[in-house]
Amino acid sequence: MAEETSGRWQGWRAAAEAALYGPGGFYRRPEGPAGHFRTSVHASPLFAEAVARLLCRVDEALDRPGALAFVDMAAGRGELVGGVLTALPAEVAARTRAYAVEIAGRPAGLDDRIEWLTEPPQQVTGLLFANEWLDNVPLDVAEVDSAGVPRRVLVRQDGTERLGEPVGGAEAEWLARWWPLPAEEGLRAEIGLPRDEAWAAAVSSLARGLAVAVDYAHTLDARPPFGTLTGFRAGRETAPVPDGSCDITAHVALDACAAHGTARALSGARLLPQRDALRALGIAGDRPPLSLASTQPAAYVRALASAGEAAELTAPGGLGDFGWLLQPVGIPDALLG
């Protein structure tokens, strides 16, 4: 039976779905994502503090509702939602209803205030935050053949690929609009329609508030010619092999997601780099003045460490290059200045 499964050809979307989320899949492993790669959440508690500030701004825009939701999509082991609750002012924390949305089971010792769900709660008011969620929504891959026709890429469990049928229907329409492929053999694109639909569903779960997606991203004017599909295992980038042994990820066409999530928004979506978003939320990375070293050495050391963490979160070529998609629902887009 194992040989039949490993030898079966299927599209990357189906293969990655099974490898990441099926029985024994990568995201069901006990060590969680933090055991294999470092996200902004794991890099520094400053990230959770910035998200807590954003939640407070959403709270003000909503006129301080009696129940303020914070929804952490793809919550991992609850690191972000726990950090946000810790960083909130007491008055805001008392009104906050915290939800962790994750396919894996609830980890032991998690704050009792956090509700653990496999799907986002519906019609809540507050902030939905999706940090590195969309890049793990499985999608199919297209590659241009020798005749200039985009075809679906098929894959076996060992990572071997071949070309399948021509891309058609809604997926072909998506490619034509969001990732047009020149008729040059070997060019590839990741068909982002499932991510657009997943994001639109997440946005629609809010009655009022703000939905934010944070991911490595690209836009129509700069799509990578050979795609971005890759794998990660134990902190190292590796070939994407859909056998459950590694993460399988691809950068996100956030501009396409934004267009699909605007139906219920009062104002349009906004895209900006993480460095700009975090600076607007008070994460600057400036070094403390040297004078502090002589007057308050312990405070200087703490401030220096904090500056280093902030610099990592905002660094060009690293975490600072993440894209932030901000999609307001029923409130003005004035949350980041």
Side-chain angles (χ1 to χ4, degrees):
M1 184 69 174
E3 289 184 4
E4 291 179 10
T5 302
S6 63
R8 184 176 63 199
W9 294 100
Q10 55 187 333
W12 266 107
R13 183 182 182 186
E17 183 73 36
L20 295 178
Y21 306 116
F26 179 83
Y27 276 96
R28 295 187 184 273
R29 294 166 62 132
E31 70 272 19
H36 293 271
F37 50 85
R38 180 179 173 88
T39 72
S40 297
V41 177
H42 308 121
S44 170
L46 293 175
F47 189 79
E49 292 171 12
V51 176
R53 290 190 196 104
L54 181 58
L55 179 57
C56 289
R57 295 186 186 182
V58 172
D59 183 42
E60 292 177 6
L62 292 167
D63 295 323
R64 297 177 177 82
L68 176 69
F70 177 68
V71 183
D72 182 9
M73 297 293 297
R77 297 302 177 264
E79 299 95 336
L80 177 60
V81 63
V84 168
L85 282 175
T86 299
L88 285 174
E91 188 277 327
V92 179
R95 291 185 287 106
T96 297
R97 306 294 178 262
Y99 304 93
V101 182
E102 178 57 65
I103 193 168
R106 182 186 182 97
L110 190 69
D111 191 318
D112 291 338
R113 294 175 293 174
I114 300 169
E115 187 172 350
W116 197 264
L117 304 171
T118 56
E119 299 288 339
Q122 295 300 304
Q123 296 306 294
V124 295
T125 297
L127 173 62
L128 180 144
F129 200 88
N131 185 63
E132 296 197 53
W133 167 52
L134 289 172
D135 68 311
N136 287 126
V137 173
L139 39 60
D140 277 312
V141 178
E143 182 175 319
V144 179
D145 67 11
S146 58
V149 177
R151 292 182 175 270
R152 190 181 312 277
V153 176
L154 305 180
V155 63
R156 293 195 302 198
Q157 196 176 62
D158 64 1
T160 305
E161 292 182 339
R162 76 176 188 192
L163 297 186
E165 72 281 5
V167 178
E171 292 181 330
E173 293 174 6
W174 189 94
L175 283 178
R177 170 65 182 89
W178 293 108
W179 199 327
L181 285 168
E184 181 179 335
E185 184 177 9
L187 296 183
R188 288 169 69 118
E190 289 119 20
I191 306 171
L193 185 59
R195 294 174 173 180
D196 297 351
E197 293 170 344
W199 179 244
V203 172
S204 71
S205 72
L206 288 175
R208 292 178 66 225
L210 178 70
V212 179
V214 182
D215 250 306
Y216 274 124
H218 45 65
T219 52
L220 183 59
D221 59 346
R223 303 284 190 226
F226 302 104
T228 62
L229 189 72
T230 191
F232 283 93
R233 182 190 298 114
R236 296 180 181 274
E237 190 169 8
T238 184
V241 178
D243 62 359
S245 68
C246 66
D247 185 29
I248 298 172
T249 180
H251 295 190
V252 182
L254 278 181
D255 49 350
C257 293
H260 282 74
T262 56
R264 300 183 64 248
L266 179 65
S267 56
R270 183 153 53 122
L271 293 170
L272 68 164
Q274 172 155 298
R275 70 181 64 89
D276 293 344
L278 290 183
R279 285 169 182 161
L281 291 167
I283 307 298
D286 297 331
R287 291 175 63 91
L290 282 174
S291 58
L292 188 64
S294 57
T295 58
Q296 300 181 55
Y300 176 78
V301 171
R302 289 193 300 270
L304 193 62
S306 180
E309 293 174 3
E312 180 181 1
L313 290 171
T314 58
L319 296 174
D321 286 345
F322 271 80
W324 280 45
L325 164 57
L326 292 91
Q327 197 115 41
V329 178
I331 61 174
D333 180 16
L335 299 170
L336 288 176

